[in-house]
PDB file of all heavy atoms in Angstrom:
ATOM      1  N   THR A 345    -148.602 -98.813 110.917  1.00 91.00           N
ATOM      2  CA  THR A 345    -149.805 -98.003 111.131  1.00 91.00           C
ATOM      3  C   THR A 345    -149.786 -97.211 112.434  1.00 91.00           C
ATOM      4  O   THR A 345    -150.543 -96.266 112.567  1.00 91.00           O
ATOM      5  CB  THR A 345    -151.079 -98.869 111.099  1.00 91.00           C
ATOM      6  OG1 THR A 345    -150.934 -99.931 112.029  1.00 91.00           O
ATOM      7  CG2 THR A 345    -151.313 -99.429 109.716  1.00 91.00           C
ATOM      8  N   TYR A 346    -148.951 -97.576 113.371  1.00 91.00           N
ATOM      9  CA  TYR A 346    -148.931 -96.819 114.629  1.00 91.00           C
ATOM     10  C   TYR A 346    -147.570 -96.225 114.940  1.00 91.00           C
ATOM     11  O   TYR A 346    -147.464 -95.113 115.412  1.00 91.00           O
ATOM     12  CB  TYR A 346    -149.339 -97.716 115.804  1.00 91.00           C
ATOM     13  CG  TYR A 346    -150.768 -98.137 115.764  1.00 91.00           C
ATOM     14  CD1 TYR A 346    -151.116 -99.380 115.264  1.00 91.00           C
ATOM     15  CD2 TYR A 346    -151.768 -97.301 116.214  1.00 91.00           C
ATOM     16  CE1 TYR A 346    -152.430 -99.773 115.209  1.00 91.00           C
ATOM     17  CE2 TYR A 346    -153.084 -97.694 116.167  1.00 91.00           C
ATOM     18  CZ  TYR A 346    -153.416 -98.923 115.669  1.00 91.00           C
ATOM     19  OH  TYR A 346    -154.710 -99.311 115.614  1.00 91.00           O
ATOM     20  N   TYR A 348    -144.701 -95.524 113.131  1.00 91.00           N
ATOM     21  CA  TYR A 348    -143.819 -95.292 111.983  1.00 91.00           C
ATOM     22  C   TYR A 348    -142.522 -94.634 112.405  1.00 91.00           C
ATOM     23  O   TYR A 348    -141.534 -94.704 111.686  1.00 91.00           O
ATOM     24  CB  TYR A 348    -144.543 -94.435 110.938  1.00 91.00           C
ATOM     25  CG  TYR A 348    -144.641 -92.986 111.315  1.00 91.00           C
ATOM     26  CD1 TYR A 348    -143.832 -92.029 110.724  1.00 91.00           C
ATOM     27  CD2 TYR A 348    -145.535 -92.570 112.288  1.00 91.00           C
ATOM     28  CE1 TYR A 348    -143.911 -90.707 111.090  1.00 91.00           C
ATOM     29  CE2 TYR A 348    -145.614 -91.256 112.661  1.00 91.00           C
ATOM     30  CZ  TYR A 348    -144.799 -90.325 112.065  1.00 91.00           C
ATOM     31  OH  TYR A 348    -144.868 -89.033 112.443  1.00 91.00           O
ATOM     32  N   GLU A 349    -142.536 -93.998 113.577  1.00 90.00           N
ATOM     33  CA  GLU A 349    -141.310 -93.328 114.022  1.00 90.00           C
ATOM     34  C   GLU A 349    -140.202 -94.310 114.370  1.00 90.00           C
ATOM     35  O   GLU A 349    -139.046 -93.949 114.451  1.00 90.00           O
ATOM     36  CB  GLU A 349    -141.607 -92.417 115.212  1.00 90.00           C
ATOM     37  CG  GLU A 349    -141.979 -93.126 116.504  1.00 90.00           C
ATOM     38  CD  GLU A 349    -143.465 -93.425 116.593  1.00 90.00           C
ATOM     39  OE1 GLU A 349    -144.170 -93.137 115.602  1.00 90.00           O
ATOM     40  OE2 GLU A 349    -143.911 -93.947 117.618  1.00 90.00           O
ATOM     41  N   ILE A 351    -139.375 -96.865 112.547  1.00 93.00           N
ATOM     42  CA  ILE A 351    -138.733 -97.405 111.344  1.00 93.00           C
ATOM     43  C   ILE A 351    -137.635 -96.441 110.920  1.00 93.00           C
ATOM     44  O   ILE A 351    -137.874 -95.233 110.867  1.00 93.00           O
ATOM     45  CB  ILE A 351    -139.763 -97.558 110.216  1.00 93.00           C
ATOM     46  CG1 ILE A 351    -140.991 -98.312 110.710  1.00 93.00           C
ATOM     47  CG2 ILE A 351    -139.157 -98.227 109.004  1.00 93.00           C
ATOM     48  CD1 ILE A 351    -142.127 -98.341 109.733  1.00 93.00           C
ATOM     49  N   THR A 353    -135.441 -94.006 108.816  1.00 90.00           N
ATOM     50  CA  THR A 353    -135.984 -93.126 107.784  1.00 90.00           C
ATOM     51  C   THR A 353    -135.853 -93.709 106.383  1.00 90.00           C
ATOM     52  O   THR A 353    -136.813 -93.691 105.605  1.00 90.00           O
ATOM     53  CB  THR A 353    -135.290 -91.765 107.842  1.00 90.00           C
ATOM     54  OG1 THR A 353    -135.247 -91.343 109.193  1.00 90.00           O
ATOM     55  CG2 THR A 353    -136.038 -90.740 107.021  1.00 90.00           C
ATOM     56  N   SER A 361    -142.996 -95.729  99.482  1.00 88.00           N
ATOM     57  CA  SER A 361    -143.165 -95.775  98.028  1.00 88.00           C
ATOM     58  C   SER A 361    -143.829 -97.089  97.618  1.00 88.00           C
ATOM     59  O   SER A 361    -144.567 -97.146  96.648  1.00 88.00           O
ATOM     60  CB  SER A 361    -141.822 -95.602  97.331  1.00 88.00           C
ATOM     61  OG  SER A 361    -141.023 -96.718  97.559  1.00 88.00           O
ATOM     62  N   GLU A 364    -147.605 -96.749  98.219  1.00 84.00           N
ATOM     63  CA  GLU A 364    -148.244 -95.653  97.494  1.00 84.00           C
ATOM     64  C   GLU A 364    -149.438 -96.106  96.662  1.00 84.00           C
ATOM     65  O   GLU A 364    -150.494 -95.485  96.677  1.00 84.00           O
ATOM     66  CB  GLU A 364    -147.188 -94.985  96.596  1.00 84.00           C
ATOM     67  CG  GLU A 364    -147.462 -93.546  96.271  1.00 84.00           C
ATOM     68  CD  GLU A 364    -147.582 -92.672  97.511  1.00 84.00           C
ATOM     69  OE1 GLU A 364    -146.683 -92.719  98.375  1.00 84.00           O
ATOM     70  OE2 GLU A 364    -148.583 -91.972  97.593  1.00 84.00           O
ATOM     71  N   ALA A 370    -153.010-101.988 105.474  1.00 90.00           N
ATOM     72  CA  ALA A 370    -152.009-103.031 105.736  1.00 90.00           C
ATOM     73  C   ALA A 370    -152.639-104.261 106.375  1.00 90.00           C
ATOM     74  O   ALA A 370    -152.242-105.395 106.083  1.00 90.00           O
ATOM     75  CB  ALA A 370    -150.916-102.469 106.639  1.00 90.00           C
ATOM     76  N   MET A 457    -155.309-103.221 115.776  1.00 88.00           N
ATOM     77  CA  MET A 457    -156.221-102.351 116.513  1.00 88.00           C
ATOM     78  C   MET A 457    -155.515-101.494 117.554  1.00 88.00           C
ATOM     79  O   MET A 457    -155.928-100.371 117.811  1.00 88.00           O
ATOM     80  CB  MET A 457    -157.310-103.183 117.187  1.00 88.00           C
ATOM     81  CG  MET A 457    -158.278-103.757 116.173  1.00 88.00           C
ATOM     82  SD  MET A 457    -159.885-104.077 116.842  1.00 88.00           S
ATOM     83  CE  MET A 457    -159.513-105.271 118.058  1.00 88.00           C
ATOM     84  N   GLU A 553    -172.622-137.152 131.071  1.00 36.00           N
ATOM     85  CA  GLU A 553    -173.603-136.608 130.132  1.00 36.00           C
ATOM     86  C   GLU A 553    -173.636-137.419 128.838  1.00 36.00           C
ATOM     87  O   GLU A 553    -174.681-137.727 128.305  1.00 36.00           O
ATOM     88  CB  GLU A 553    -173.239-135.163 129.791  1.00 36.00           C
ATOM     89  CG  GLU A 553    -173.727-134.188 130.830  1.00 36.00           C
ATOM     90  CD  GLU A 553    -173.400-132.775 130.434  1.00 36.00           C
ATOM     91  OE1 GLU A 553    -172.824-132.569 129.353  1.00 36.00           O
ATOM     92  OE2 GLU A 553    -173.751-131.896 131.211  1.00 36.00           O
TER      93      GLU A 553
ATOM     94  N   LYS B  27    -175.495-126.827 134.347  1.00 53.00           N
ATOM     95  CA  LYS B  27    -174.557-127.343 133.354  1.00 53.00           C
ATOM     96  C   LYS B  27    -174.804-126.752 131.987  1.00 53.00           C
ATOM     97  O   LYS B  27    -173.893-126.394 131.275  1.00 53.00           O
ATOM     98  CB  LYS B  27    -174.695-128.857 133.273  1.00 53.00           C
ATOM     99  CG  LYS B  27    -173.618-129.575 134.046  1.00 53.00           C
ATOM    100  CD  LYS B  27    -173.871-131.048 133.991  1.00 53.00           C
ATOM    101  CE  LYS B  27    -173.319-131.712 135.235  1.00 53.00           C
ATOM    102  NZ  LYS B  27    -173.816-133.059 135.424  1.00 53.00           N
ATOM    103  N   ILE B  45    -163.491-104.230 122.839  1.00 67.00           N
ATOM    104  CA  ILE B  45    -162.296-104.043 122.015  1.00 67.00           C
ATOM    105  C   ILE B  45    -162.686-103.415 120.687  1.00 67.00           C
ATOM    106  O   ILE B  45    -162.067-102.470 120.212  1.00 67.00           O
ATOM    107  CB  ILE B  45    -161.593-105.397 121.797  1.00 67.00           C
ATOM    108  CG1 ILE B  45    -161.032-105.895 123.120  1.00 67.00           C
ATOM    109  CG2 ILE B  45    -160.490-105.274 120.769  1.00 67.00           C
ATOM    110  CD1 ILE B  45    -160.405-107.248 123.037  1.00 67.00           C
ATOM    111  N   CYS B  50    -159.976 -98.227 115.914  1.00 65.00           N
ATOM    112  CA  CYS B  50    -158.555 -98.480 115.716  1.00 65.00           C
ATOM    113  C   CYS B  50    -157.673 -97.385 116.266  1.00 65.00           C
ATOM    114  O   CYS B  50    -156.680 -97.010 115.664  1.00 65.00           O
ATOM    115  CB  CYS B  50    -158.277 -98.769 114.255  1.00 65.00           C
ATOM    116  SG  CYS B  50    -158.773-100.421 113.841  1.00 65.00           S
ATOM    117  N   VAL B  54    -152.934 -94.928 111.451  1.00 87.00           N
ATOM    118  CA  VAL B  54    -152.870 -94.193 110.187  1.00 87.00           C
ATOM    119  C   VAL B  54    -152.036 -95.020 109.218  1.00 87.00           C
ATOM    120  O   VAL B  54    -150.907 -95.384 109.526  1.00 87.00           O
ATOM    121  CB  VAL B  54    -152.217 -92.797 110.373  1.00 87.00           C
ATOM    122  CG1 VAL B  54    -152.119 -92.090 109.031  1.00 87.00           C
ATOM    123  CG2 VAL B  54    -153.010 -91.958 111.346  1.00 87.00           C
ATOM    124  N   GLU B  55    -152.618 -95.335 108.099  1.00 87.00           N
ATOM    125  CA  GLU B  55    -151.868 -96.097 107.105  1.00 87.00           C
ATOM    126  C   GLU B  55    -150.715 -95.246 106.584  1.00 87.00           C
ATOM    127  O   GLU B  55    -150.795 -94.017 106.538  1.00 87.00           O
ATOM    128  CB  GLU B  55    -152.781 -96.485 105.939  1.00 87.00           C
ATOM    129  CG  GLU B  55    -153.794 -97.544 106.276  1.00 87.00           C
ATOM    130  CD  GLU B  55    -153.163 -98.894 106.580  1.00 87.00           C
ATOM    131  OE1 GLU B  55    -152.063 -99.177 106.083  1.00 87.00           O
ATOM    132  OE2 GLU B  55    -153.781 -99.664 107.335  1.00 87.00           O
ATOM    133  N   ASN B  57    -149.725 -94.712 103.643  1.00 86.00           N
ATOM    134  CA  ASN B  57    -149.996 -93.848 102.486  1.00 86.00           C
ATOM    135  C   ASN B  57    -150.975 -92.720 102.802  1.00 86.00           C
ATOM    136  O   ASN B  57    -151.487 -92.070 101.917  1.00 86.00           O
ATOM    137  CB  ASN B  57    -150.442 -94.664 101.266  1.00 86.00           C
ATOM    138  CG  ASN B  57    -151.469 -95.699 101.632  1.00 86.00           C
ATOM    139  OD1 ASN B  57    -151.948 -95.736 102.763  1.00 86.00           O
ATOM    140  ND2 ASN B  57    -151.825 -96.539 100.684  1.00 86.00           N
ATOM    141  N   SER B  90    -137.545 -93.824  95.793  1.00 82.00           N
ATOM    142  CA  SER B  90    -137.235 -95.241  95.613  1.00 82.00           C
ATOM    143  C   SER B  90    -138.299 -95.976  94.810  1.00 82.00           C
ATOM    144  O   SER B  90    -138.175 -97.167  94.605  1.00 82.00           O
ATOM    145  CB  SER B  90    -137.057 -95.903  96.980  1.00 82.00           C
ATOM    146  OG  SER B  90    -138.294 -95.909  97.636  1.00 82.00           O
ATOM    147  N   ARG B 123    -151.879 -84.893 103.073  1.00 90.00           N
ATOM    148  CA  ARG B 123    -151.736 -85.965 104.061  1.00 90.00           C
ATOM    149  C   ARG B 123    -151.323 -85.412 105.408  1.00 90.00           C
ATOM    150  O   ARG B 123    -150.953 -84.250 105.515  1.00 90.00           O
ATOM    151  CB  ARG B 123    -150.690 -86.969 103.571  1.00 90.00           C
ATOM    152  CG  ARG B 123    -151.120 -87.599 102.284  1.00 90.00           C
ATOM    153  CD  ARG B 123    -150.106 -88.583 101.798  1.00 90.00           C
ATOM    154  NE  ARG B 123    -150.578 -89.222 100.580  1.00 90.00           N
ATOM    155  CZ  ARG B 123    -149.926 -90.152  99.931  1.00 90.00           C
ATOM    156  NH1 ARG B 123    -148.755 -90.551 100.379  1.00 90.00           N
ATOM    157  NH2 ARG B 123    -150.422 -90.684  98.848  1.00 90.00           N
ATOM    158  N   SER B 126    -146.254 -85.738 109.290  1.00 91.00           N
ATOM    159  CA  SER B 126    -145.753 -86.595 110.361  1.00 91.00           C
ATOM    160  C   SER B 126    -144.336 -86.175 110.713  1.00 91.00           C
ATOM    161  O   SER B 126    -143.436 -86.231 109.886  1.00 91.00           O
ATOM    162  CB  SER B 126    -145.776 -88.050 109.913  1.00 91.00           C
ATOM    163  OG  SER B 126    -147.074 -88.351 109.472  1.00 91.00           O
ATOM    164  N   HIS B 129    -139.864 -88.043 111.819  1.00 92.00           N
ATOM    165  CA  HIS B 129    -138.580 -88.233 111.145  1.00 92.00           C
ATOM    166  C   HIS B 129    -137.924 -86.914 110.761  1.00 92.00           C
ATOM    167  O   HIS B 129    -137.093 -86.876 109.877  1.00 92.00           O
ATOM    168  CB  HIS B 129    -138.762 -89.132 109.923  1.00 92.00           C
ATOM    169  CG  HIS B 129    -138.972 -90.563 110.281  1.00 92.00           C
ATOM    170  ND1 HIS B 129    -137.945 -91.459 110.405  1.00 92.00           N
ATOM    171  CD2 HIS B 129    -140.090 -91.246 110.614  1.00 92.00           C
ATOM    172  CE1 HIS B 129    -138.414 -92.626 110.767  1.00 92.00           C
ATOM    173  NE2 HIS B 129    -139.731 -92.533 110.901  1.00 92.00           N
ATOM    174  N   ASP B 156    -144.609 -86.554 118.700  1.00 89.00           N
ATOM    175  CA  ASP B 156    -144.042 -87.011 117.434  1.00 89.00           C
ATOM    176  C   ASP B 156    -142.614 -86.529 117.217  1.00 89.00           C
ATOM    177  O   ASP B 156    -141.774 -87.267 116.738  1.00 89.00           O
ATOM    178  CB  ASP B 156    -144.929 -86.523 116.284  1.00 89.00           C
ATOM    179  CG  ASP B 156    -145.524 -87.685 115.517  1.00 89.00           C
ATOM    180  OD1 ASP B 156    -145.446 -88.809 116.037  1.00 89.00           O
ATOM    181  OD2 ASP B 156    -146.044 -87.467 114.413  1.00 89.00           O
ATOM    182  N   ARG B 158    -138.787 -85.284 117.645  1.00 91.00           N
ATOM    183  CA  ARG B 158    -137.698 -85.897 118.397  1.00 91.00           C
ATOM    184  C   ARG B 158    -136.793 -84.846 118.991  1.00 91.00           C
ATOM    185  O   ARG B 158    -136.578 -83.808 118.383  1.00 91.00           O
ATOM    186  CB  ARG B 158    -136.850 -86.755 117.463  1.00 91.00           C
ATOM    187  CG  ARG B 158    -137.640 -87.849 116.873  1.00 91.00           C
ATOM    188  CD  ARG B 158    -136.749 -88.752 116.091  1.00 91.00           C
ATOM    189  NE  ARG B 158    -137.585 -89.799 115.542  1.00 91.00           N
ATOM    190  CZ  ARG B 158    -137.206 -91.061 115.425  1.00 91.00           C
ATOM    191  NH1 ARG B 158    -136.005 -91.404 115.784  1.00 91.00           N
ATOM    192  NH2 ARG B 158    -138.025 -91.948 114.944  1.00 91.00           N
TER     193      ARG B 158
END
Side-chain angles (χ1 to χ4, degrees):
Chain A
T345 54
Y346 292 98
Y348 75 104
E349 69 273 4
I351 309 172
T353 313
S361 69
E364 206 58 51
M457 289 206 298
E553 277 182 1
Chain B
K27 260 176 209 165
I45 293 176
C50 283
V54 178
E55 289 293 334
N57 45 7
S90 67
R123 298 180 177 182
S126 306
H129 286 269
D156 242 13
R158 298 186 180 217

